[in-house]
Amino acid sequence: LDFSPLVLDAGRISDEEIQKRAGHLGTAATLIAIKHIFDKTYQEYTSALEPMGADLDVRTFESVLEYFLIYRGIEDPDLARIIGEALNRREDMPNVIEKWMEAGREEGLKEGLQKGRQEGIQKGLEKGLQKSIEKFLLKTRLTPAEIASTLDVDLSWVLEIEKSLEKPPG
């Protein structure tokens, strides 16, 4: 391949010029969002996008807003709502926030299921290992120290199991 990369320094071009030359409102909004992502406050970011905010299609609006929220690590739905209102998109904010919250619920559910699965596996392994130790203690002549060493488990755990076997069930 023989080509030079195309580089656009949007910082050197005014927002009005970007909007004029982009030819498509969504493209202009995306370029302006990228240009202003380092602005110090969300007000500076939204004021750059405000002139076209009400005219953006829902998908582009959501993308520009999510880009800012994710990049800045904003998790406060109230602040997201304020930003949406600054972009004259009050009617679309429930959709964006609901989508955002749904994604959080799904992620939490996945994490919960994974953690529950791991805990279940761990408990199952511990129970199986405990049964094996009980059998060793009852049927072999190995000492608790030998069992702990053979199974590579803590001796105190083996002693605890041995002690529970000595107690009559009650």
Side-chain angles (χ1 to χ4, degrees):
L1 298 175
D2 186 21
F3 64 89
S4 298
L6 178 62
V7 178
L8 172 66
D9 184 358
R12 295 181 179 200
I13 305 169
S14 72
D15 294 351
E16 294 78 21
E17 189 67 21
I18 290 173
Q19 196 169 353
K20 181 177 153 187
R21 288 188 175 201
H24 182 267
L25 190 60
T27 304
T30 303
L31 288 170
I32 290 171
I34 292 169
K35 175 183 174 182
H36 288 278
I37 196 65
F38 297 111
D39 288 351
K40 290 183 179 17
T41 67
Y42 75 86
Q43 290 95 340
E44 291 172 324
Y45 181 82
T46 56
S47 67
L49 292 166
E50 185 191 10
M52 63 187 93
D55 298 325
L56 292 174
D57 63 272
V58 174
R59 211 162 144 213
T60 303
F61 166 72
E62 288 177 357
S63 295
V64 166
L65 181 62
E66 285 179 26
Y67 171 64
F68 179 75
L69 297 174
I70 291 168
Y71 183 83
R72 290 295 181 95
I74 297 171
E75 296 179 0
D76 182 359
D78 292 331
L79 185 54
R81 192 174 286 112
I82 290 168
I83 293 168
E85 288 174 1
L87 294 174
N88 301 309
R89 297 304 289 255
R90 181 178 294 187
E91 72 281 355
D92 293 321
M93 287 314 297
N95 296 341
V96 173
I97 292 172
E98 183 57 38
K99 192 168 135 181
W100 194 23
M101 292 172 77
E102 182 62 31
R105 280 192 291 268
E106 286 178 16
E107 186 176 320
L109 181 60
K110 284 180 186 175
E111 285 178 19
L113 287 172
Q114 181 65 25
K115 187 176 180 182
R117 205 175 294 129
Q118 288 173 343
E119 286 176 4
I121 290 170
Q122 180 67 30
K123 285 183 181 178
L125 288 172
E126 285 177 10
K127 197 168 195 163
L129 192 54
Q130 184 173 353
K131 291 290 181 191
S132 296
I133 292 171
E134 288 174 3
K135 285 182 183 178
F136 269 113
L137 288 168
L138 293 172
K139 295 185 179 185
T140 66
R141 300 198 189 282
L142 295 175
T143 67
E146 292 170 326
I147 293 170
S149 174
T150 302
L151 296 175
D152 194 26
V153 296
D154 191 53
L155 174 61
S156 63
W157 190 45
V158 175
L159 293 172
E160 187 180 310
I161 294 170
E162 181 181 48
K163 194 180 253 185
S164 72
L165 290 173
E166 294 171 359
K167 294 180 186 174

